[in-house]
Amino acid sequence: MEHLTIMQMNDSHGYLELHPELFRVGNRAEYRMAGGYARIGTLLAQVREERRGEVLAFDCGDTIHGTYGAVTTRGEALVPILNALAFDGMTAHWEFAYGPERFRELAGRLRYPMLAVNCYDDATGDLVFPPYTVCETNSMQVGVIGIAATIVDKTMPASFSKGIHFTLGNEELPGYITLLREDEGVDLIVVVSHLGFPQEMQLAREVDGIDVLLSAHTHNRLYRPAVVNDTIVIQSGCHGSFLGRLDLTVENRRVTHYAHRLLTVDQEIRPDPEIEEMVNRTLAPSREELERVVGTTATALHRTLVLESTMDNLLLHALLDATGAEMAFSNGWRYGAPIPPGPVTVDDLWNIIPTNPPVSTVEITGRELLAMMEENLEHTFSRDPYNQMGGYVKRCLGITVYCKLENPPGNRIQEFFVGGRSLEPGRTYSAAFVTSQGVPGQYGEHRRHLDMSAIEALERYLAKGTVRAELRGTVTAI
């Protein structure tokens, strides 16, 4: 009888230190401080001390991007911190935002492997990263296979996947499981994935032989594991506010018992001093500017809802204010720590939209608007999990859409209004947006990028007075 403890971090999005996190208590939301890599370091150290030689820790990606400290150093700030956390393996998604070459450079400086069974070089057809690694504990060998986010070359900006392409990994996975079981003789198979919970559940149903699947991308807080086809699936929230702990008992290369806890990275946890110093050193030059108050919100701003969010409503109000367009669009991002009612800082603005793209405008027909929204609803709610390409639903302001989410592709939208009037298919409308995920390139004409960034637009809008960004029923399921 052997024992193994697996620790999981996923979707931490570069949140270097404590930040507000939303917790639901009955029918209300509470905002409490949580997270930070120094406190994560303390938790990992405690578990490693408790279960010496029996602990493996994995990072499922969306780590080296998402906050000012991460983005303005092009991921540099995260490398020493992640090496101090000493994971045993990792996979990726937003890490590709700096371009594949920069990401390869960063990954090469980590002291543990970046794994992706599904990321290929266009020129050679070779895998960009190793597909698997074998980790040894006191008494076991564990085969670990990585699957990166498949959407990087499908719905993300083109620069993310220059010279590379992605598959789902479902066709490659069985061969590597066989290789690890038969040739390497491992005792367990762990898959470290960033496909998203629906896709990963489908993957586990279809592919035999996965003992543990560490899920990511969809920001699920799983307080108890999902089990399908003898595969234990866990996912552990986002923003580094949570860690997953899975304690396994193994006999004859099979899991015979497991216990799981979703651990909150609470502010009462004493931070690891070495990692805290790294974080402080990274943020010290910019801390005064990041703490500068740029306005006040009367609305709690967050992105925890699928159809519409208050955080993006603020962003869209700023886009409309900056451009005078009839409508505004942004991507259905999941990341972005909540901002409770009260002061809004520069740091908050970078957390809302860390890519800080230019504000853009486009002329788009009613027919294109309908097709664009139907496409987005299919990407979010496809009956086939493998066709889900979210994010949440595209964020919109200036339009109102009523839809049947259970309907087949292209037939979900029942009614579509612009400014309170029925959509006219042949009419051309003016739209503001940010990034190609707001309005993809195949839609609209006369696309123009303004000499104003998204963060500048937000700051100008907030300077006008206390803002409100309540839900407006922009996309309503009926």
Side-chain angles (χ1 to χ4, degrees):
M1 181 185 300
E2 291 87 27
H3 298 280
L4 173 66
T5 294
I6 294 175
M7 300 295 294
Q8 180 199 30
M9 182 178 82
N10 60 270
D11 299 284
S12 62
H13 287 287
Y15 276 78
L16 293 163
E17 53 187 356
L18 277 173
H19 55 269
E21 188 56 84
L22 186 152
F23 294 84
R24 298 199 182 276
V25 182
N27 63 352
R28 61 188 173 85
E30 285 187 0
Y31 298 92
R32 304 198 291 267
M33 300 299 286
Y37 295 118
R39 286 170 173 80
I40 289 171
T42 295
L43 281 174
L44 290 175
Q46 288 172 348
V47 176
R48 285 166 174 151
E49 177 64 24
E50 174 194 340
R51 304 289 296 272
R52 289 194 176 198
E54 297 177 344
V55 179
L56 296 176
F58 300 103
D59 180 358
C60 292
D62 270 4
T63 303
I64 313 178
H65 192 280
T67 58
Y68 180 91
V71 171
T72 56
T73 64
R74 298 185 69 230
E76 190 73 30
L78 273 296
V79 172
I81 293 169
L82 293 175
N83 281 333
L85 292 174
F87 291 104
D88 295 285
M90 180 180 174
T91 196
H93 174 208
W94 269 94
E95 286 74 15
F96 289 96
Y98 307 114
E101 287 306 312
R102 173 61 172 171
F103 179 33
R104 277 192 253 211
E105 176 192 340
L106 294 171
R109 291 162 51 201
L110 295 175
R111 295 179 194 144
Y112 50 87
M114 185 66 58
L115 305 173
V117 75
N118 62 326
C119 176
Y120 295 91
D121 185 284
D122 286 345
T124 66
D126 296 335
L127 286 171
V128 175
F129 299 105
Y132 69 88
T133 188
V134 176
C135 300
E136 294 188 13
T137 67
N138 285 345
S139 56
M140 284 193 297
Q141 288 195 320
V142 180
V144 183
I145 304 170
I147 305 179
T150 188
I151 68 170
V152 173
D153 64 343
K154 299 171 182 65
T155 63
M156 311 294 284
S159 62
F160 288 28
S161 56
K162 184 178 180 180
I164 61 175
H165 65 274
F166 295 78
T167 66
L168 267 163
N170 58 330
E171 294 183 4
E172 296 93 333
L173 193 56
Y176 285 107
I177 292 173
T178 299
L179 183 153
L180 285 164
R181 283 286 192 186
E182 297 182 2
D183 296 352
E184 299 277 3
V186 302
D187 299 289
L188 286 181
I189 297 291
V190 174
V191 171
V192 178
S193 172
H194 201 100
L195 292 178
F197 186 71
Q199 295 90 332
E200 287 147 350
M201 289 292 284
Q202 180 78 0
L203 187 78
R205 286 189 189 95
E206 291 180 356
V207 178
D208 295 333
I210 306 170
D211 294 295
V212 175
L213 196 157
L214 304 180
S215 168
H217 182 56
T218 43
H219 294 196
N220 285 217
R221 298 179 194 177
L222 292 188
Y223 289 92
R224 60 183 183 275
V227 180
V228 57
N229 193 19
D230 295 327
T231 300
I232 303 165
V233 183
I234 68 170
Q235 193 178 134
S236 306
C238 61
H239 302 139
S241 300
F242 305 90
L243 290 182
R245 174 174 176 168
L246 184 64
D247 295 307
L248 305 174
T249 301
V250 180
E251 297 182 64
N252 297 321
R253 304 171 76 189
R254 292 182 62 85
V255 176
T256 57
H257 182 266
Y258 67 87
H260 169 260
R261 278 184 280 170
L262 184 66
L263 306 174
T264 301
V265 184
D266 192 86
Q267 65 177 330
E268 272 73 44
I269 296 169
R270 183 178 178 181
D272 177 283
E274 177 190 357
I275 299 176
E276 187 174 40
E277 173 58 27
M278 292 178 188
V279 170
N280 288 334
R281 196 160 55 241
T282 294
L283 294 177
S286 53
R287 196 176 287 281
E288 183 176 351
E289 170 63 9
L290 291 175
E291 291 176 354
R292 179 169 62 87
V293 174
V294 294
T296 304
T297 177
T299 308
L301 306 174
H302 63 85
R303 281 184 171 135
T304 64
L305 301 175
V306 175
L307 299 180
E308 181 186 6
S309 80
T310 55
M311 182 174 286
D312 288 296
N313 280 352
L314 171 64
L315 173 61
L316 297 171
H317 278 301
L319 297 183
L320 291 179
D321 183 72
T323 63
E326 295 172 88
M327 61 192 69
F329 299 98
S330 67
N331 187 46
W333 293 299
R334 295 187 180 97
Y335 63 69
I339 304 167
V344 179
T345 66
V346 171
D347 191 41
D348 291 324
L349 302 188
W350 280 92
N351 293 346
I352 290 172
I353 188 160
T355 54
N356 194 21
V359 175
S360 302
T361 59
V362 68
E363 295 177 8
I364 186 168
T365 67
R367 192 170 288 105
E368 288 176 307
L369 285 169
L370 181 62
M372 182 178 74
M373 292 305 298
E374 283 282 9
E375 177 188 65
N376 183 249
L377 290 170
E378 171 62 11
H379 282 173
T380 310
F381 299 111
S382 176
R383 294 179 183 180
D384 182 349
Y386 289 160
N387 290 332
Q388 293 179 13
M389 300 286 170
Y392 293 141
V393 171
K394 185 188 302 294
R395 305 315 194 185
C396 323
L397 207 59
I399 70 171
T400 305
V401 174
Y402 295 93
C403 52
K404 293 278 191 184
L405 300 183
E406 69 273 23
N407 280 8
N411 294 277
R412 290 187 171 92
I413 294 175
Q414 307 290 289
E415 295 186 84
F416 197 132
F417 298 92
V418 177
R421 297 183 176 183
S422 293
L423 181 75
E424 299 177 40
R427 181 182 162 187
T428 297
Y429 298 90
S430 62
F433 68 98
V434 283
T435 85
S436 60
Q437 295 167 290
V439 177
Q442 67 266 36
Y443 298 108
E445 293 182 335
H446 307 300
R447 188 171 292 242
R448 188 164 67 96
H449 304 308
L450 277 60
D451 188 22
M452 180 192 304
S453 73
I455 288 176
E456 287 176 312
L458 280 164
E459 188 165 349
R460 290 185 191 186
Y461 183 68
L462 282 156
K464 296 186 174 186
T466 298
V467 298
R468 295 183 178 275
E470 282 83 2
L471 301 178
R472 301 165 67 100
T474 303
V475 178
T476 300
I478 58 173

